[in-house]
Amino acid sequence: MKYNLLLALSLISLASYSQDYSSADNTTTLNDTVKNKKGEILNEVLITTNKPKKPIEAARSGIKVMDLPQSVQIIGSDIIAQQQAIRLSEVVKNMNGVYVGSARGGAQESFFSRGYDMGANNMFKNGFRFSSGSMPEVSSLEKVEFLKGSAALLYGNVAPGGILNMVTKTPQFTKGGEVSMQIGSFSYYKPSIDIYGPLNSYIAYRFTGSYENSESFRDVVKNERYYLNPSFLFKLSDKTQITLQGDYLSYDWTPDFGTGIIGKEIADVPRNKYLGALWSYGKTNQASVSALVNHNFNDNWKLNFNTSFQNYKRTSKGTERVSIDTTIPNYVNGDYIRPLGQNQNFEQIIGEQLSLQGIFHTGKVKHQIFTGVDLENSFTQAYTYAFDEKAVKDAKGKYIVNAYDRVNIYDLIYDGQRMDIPNANATRLVNTDSNRFGIYAQDLISISEQFKVLAGLRWSWQETQAETTDYTKATITKGQKLTDAAFSPKVGLVYQPTKNTSLFASYANSFTPNTGTTVDGEAIKPSIIDQYEVGIKKDFWRGLLSTNVTLYQITNSNLAQTAEFKADGTPNTDTNVKVLSGETKSKGVEIDVTARPVDGLNIIAGYSYNDMRYSKTSGLNGSFIEGDRLARTPANTANLSFFYTLQDGLLKGVSFGAIGNYIGKRIGGWNNLVVIDPKTGVQTINDREIPLEGYTTIDVSAGYTWRKISILCKLSNITNELNYTVHENYSVNPIAPRQIMTSLRYKF
């Protein structure tokens, strides 16, 4: 199947910058012009016409796609609706080079790009950093933007690889909306509403909301979600407007760490088999409010002020991944321990952004500048719990700490399981307060119509301090205050021999502060990152076919990862305790295609090759292996999709489409370690890598629209492919099997 996808890609074109602009972005009426100012959520210029070269909001500065020395992708609401996406992981199937690295207990999805985890700092919503500990609501999104490569100049201390920015729907001065109902396999149902319009000539509103309830292809697993998203647009004058919006998500879910691992093999248990305690539960609450003030001095100069407050809390309790009791020989036959786990995490994020955007000339040279300041405060709380549970003994007759019971994963029976919920006591609380500040300036210098230079510089400062309360010792300890500051330059060259062709090259340097401590309690040094990128963009036939080829290299001098062991040699389960893995190097190529050959037809395709390895390690005891590919980084990924709606004739309103997504071979678990015997000096390898085969999933859909009513059916994973996402050495979650989804919509 992999080769079929690649063949299809080659038949379409050589490359692209995948962009799908939804119908809401393609209008030029007065009212929709006001609506299109939603782009200023991210300090963007007005978007009033359907131009393939228009700027994107994630770029913030108003630079057109052809003038930007890096690649971008945009997936609009039309594609999201056609795809019937209910999770962000389904949307990113259309994005080349982005993939799900893990499902992490069923509570969240971790996305990777160019070999890097995007979870901690690289997820944004309306231009503000978004807590990645939950699964965001998709029904409220106008579009999802993927800005590839370096984004540190405008976004501060982000990891390499790119950022994802989710843009929510905003008010309009035209009246309309829709109600919908989604029904699918495993008792899935989801009613939604989206309504908008004017309150008067100066105030417009919008409200989106949804309720979701479902079981799962996994036995016992359930989820229930409530989502509310009101927003208001105040047009104070022709030059000034304010957008207020907020949202609230309540999410009840079942913790699910998937199946077990025997050695380096994933246990061969049925895809539906749930191995956790039946009473396990999780709850997530997330809320945000934001105010966006946009003022146009004139056609060339714009001032923007944005502020946001976000609150996030997640609690869970249950049994975690099944583990091996090596003191007994029967674990190879499926006798596993179910360890207990309880977690409570809280995060509060306050963000402020002030920027100025303008155009001026020095002689014949045009300058498009973007400058501003931003600041952010993040406060997090993480509790550690311990169970005083004495239920399972090892072969030596000693009780195993936090062990709930012992089960056989091959012969697990739900009836008759232990159902009491053990008490847990908080043993530790870690409060972490982080402050970030940045000031930046960027200038797109148009030396001529053909030659352009993008030059920018950012100064970033971050201060982090952790306070640990040890309830067992009744002590409070303030950690070392970690302060990092550095300049982050970026320079790009653009050559456009024609208006439809752009060749570009760029270099960027940045640093990413690392949270947490070493095993010895010392602050983690920041990662210093150098990124190089070259590429070519080409539009054919007035934008009906858009292509892009990009080559890149990213060097990270200090990559921090969760430590496997504590200082005393015992297994580490604290994600705040980390090790520096030395230097890593990520190299690759991305080929993207977007085609709109006829009205109603959208084609998106892409292929990505990435090679990310440890380029320098110490070679000492416990170090990673130089030249080893990093875990959870497939070499090859590919995507191919099309969606077509007939525009006229007897079959007008009939639509159909398909999407294929390929994830190549990769490594699960942890990377291997060097082990040196302190007595003999003999070196061996601690082999911890779990090989995972590549896989392809194919979804197909068909629907019909008649006047204001539409019905759409989707069959996902039509080949019933079986594969897994593996988060380090736990949370081995199978992908979803073949499922059906049906949507009924009424627009008004």
Side-chain angles (χ1 to χ4, degrees), residues 6-289:
L6 297 181
L7 176 61
L9 292 175
S10 66
L11 293 175
I12 295 177
S13 181
L14 292 176
S16 95
Y17 56 95
S18 250
Q19 300 180 69
D20 171 72
Y21 300 109
S22 66
S23 59
D25 291 328
N26 294 337
T27 56
T28 57
T29 67
L30 176 62
N31 291 330
D32 282 338
T33 297
V34 174
K35 174 200 171 186
N36 281 341
K37 289 185 178 181
K38 71 180 188 300
E40 296 179 347
I41 292 172
L42 291 179
N43 309 331
E44 187 59 274
V45 299
L46 301 181
I47 300 172
T48 59
T49 58
N50 180 19
K51 295 181 179 180
K53 300 178 183 180
K54 70 182 183 179
I56 65 165
E57 298 178 21
R60 287 188 171 177
S61 56
I63 296 177
K64 298 177 180 178
V65 171
M66 277 296 187
D67 295 341
L68 192 66
Q70 63 190 114
S71 307
V72 299
Q73 286 184 284
I74 302 175
I75 305 301
S77 58
D78 283 357
I79 295 297
I80 296 173
Q82 180 72 35
Q83 195 181 357
Q84 297 191 79
I86 61 174
R87 296 289 181 265
L88 189 59
S89 57
E90 296 175 87
V91 179
V92 302
K93 285 184 177 181
N94 299 285
M95 294 181 170
N96 179 31
V98 186
Y99 55 92
V100 177
S102 66
R104 196 153 188 181
Q108 65 184 88
E109 297 170 322
S110 298
F111 300 98
F112 280 64
S113 173
R114 296 185 176 181
Y116 288 91
D117 190 346
M118 304 177 67
N121 295 308
N122 292 42
M123 301 291 293
F124 290 80
K125 191 173 183 178
N126 294 328
F128 290 98
R129 203 178 309 274
F130 177 81
S131 178
S132 61
S134 68
M135 294 186 180
E137 180 57 37
V138 173
S139 63
S140 67
L141 299 182
E142 183 65 37
K143 57 185 174 181
V144 179
E145 303 173 328
F146 178 31
L147 181 63
K148 302 184 182 183
S150 176
L153 176 63
L154 301 181
Y155 287 89
N157 309 124
V158 293
I163 64 164
L164 279 177
N165 181 48
M166 297 170 284
V167 181
T168 57
K169 300 173 181 178
T170 53
Q172 297 186 41
F173 281 94
T174 53
K175 188 176 182 180
E178 70 172 38
V179 293
S180 65
M181 171 65 80
Q182 288 180 279
I183 301 174
S185 302
F186 309 107
S187 303
Y188 179 92
Y189 65 92
K190 180 179 182 179
S192 304
I193 186 171
D194 177 14
I195 183 171
Y196 52 85
L199 294 177
N200 54 43
S201 58
Y202 302 102
I203 304 174
Y205 76 94
R206 190 161 197 158
F207 175 80
T208 63
S210 63
Y211 171 75
E212 181 181 323
N213 191 301
S214 74
E215 298 178 1
S216 169
F217 69 94
R218 301 275 293 167
D219 298 338
V220 182
V221 175
K222 299 180 179 179
N223 89 88
E224 185 178 32
R225 294 165 62 99
Y226 302 84
Y227 181 76
L228 304 173
N229 177 209
S231 58
F232 296 90
L233 173 63
F234 300 87
K235 185 180 179 184
L236 303 184
S237 69
D238 291 337
K239 294 183 177 183
T240 306
Q241 67 176 31
I242 300 175
T243 303
L244 301 178
Q245 56 181 332
D247 68 351
Y248 173 75
L249 172 67
S250 175
Y251 181 27
D252 293 320
W253 46 276
T254 304
D256 181 13
F257 293 88
T259 187
I261 296 177
I262 299 178
K264 300 180 62 173
E265 298 291 331
I266 297 175
D268 186 18
V269 298
R271 179 162 24 194
N272 63 294
K273 181 62 71 174
Y274 177 71
L275 302 181
L278 302 183
W279 50 264
S280 300
Y281 64 89
K283 186 174 184 62
T284 301
N285 289 294
Q286 191 166 25
S288 70
V289 293

Side-chain angles (χ1 to χ4, degrees), residues 512-729:
T512 301
N514 292 311
T515 59
T517 66
T518 67
V519 295
D520 298 317
E522 300 295 326
I524 297 286
K525 295 180 180 179
S527 298
I528 307 300
I529 301 156
D530 290 291
Q531 297 194 60
Y532 299 87
E533 190 167 339
V534 296
I536 180 172
K537 303 174 185 179
K538 176 67 176 177
D539 285 350
F540 299 90
W541 306 300
R542 298 182 178 180
L544 295 180
L545 175 66
S546 301
T547 64
N548 181 61
V549 178
T550 303
L551 290 86
Y552 62 86
Q553 176 176 291
I554 306 170
T555 303
N556 188 339
S557 63
N558 276 330
L559 183 67
Q561 294 186 321
T562 304
E564 184 183 12
F565 300 102
K566 299 178 182 178
D568 60 4
T570 59
N572 173 53
T573 59
D574 187 353
T575 57
N576 287 313
V577 179
K578 300 178 179 179
V579 295
L580 295 177
S581 61
E583 182 185 272
T584 62
K585 187 166 291 184
S586 174
K587 300 181 290 184
V589 59
E590 294 166 343
I591 303 173
D592 300 315
V593 175
T594 297
R596 293 175 287 272
V598 297
D599 289 343
L601 176 60
N602 286 296
I603 300 173
I604 303 173
Y607 167 75
S608 175
Y609 172 79
N610 173 260
D611 184 67
M612 185 169 184
R613 301 179 183 271
Y614 293 105
S615 51
K616 290 182 183 179
T617 61
S618 67
L620 301 175
N621 186 46
S623 69
F624 294 99
I625 311 289
E626 190 168 317
D628 198 8
R629 175 183 290 278
L630 269 71
R632 292 184 288 168
T633 59
N636 300 283
T637 61
N639 63 282
L640 173 62
S641 65
F642 77 91
F643 299 100
Y644 182 49
T645 300
L646 288 122
Q647 303 297 297
D648 48 39
L650 294 176
L651 298 179
K652 180 181 179 180
V654 173
S655 64
F656 52 91
I659 178 170
N661 190 253
Y662 172 74
I663 306 296
K665 292 182 179 181
R666 62 221 182 274
I667 299 169
W670 301 81
N671 280 105
N672 294 337
L673 294 177
V674 174
V675 179
I676 301 176
D677 191 298
K679 296 181 180 180
T680 65
V682 176
Q683 178 176 307
T684 57
I685 301 297
N686 181 9
D687 189 356
R688 311 179 300 170
E689 298 177 348
I690 303 169
L692 298 171
E693 293 295 320
Y695 68 98
T696 300
T697 58
I698 301 174
D699 305 339
V700 296
S701 64
Y704 177 65
T705 299
W706 180 74
R707 296 184 178 179
K708 298 182 178 182
I709 301 174
S710 65
I711 186 170
L712 185 64
C713 297
K714 178 180 73 173
L715 185 65
S716 58
N717 193 7
I718 61 175
T719 61
N720 208 33
E721 183 79 13
L722 175 61
N723 212 281
Y724 300 86
T725 60
V726 180
H727 181 83
E728 294 173 345
N729 67 338

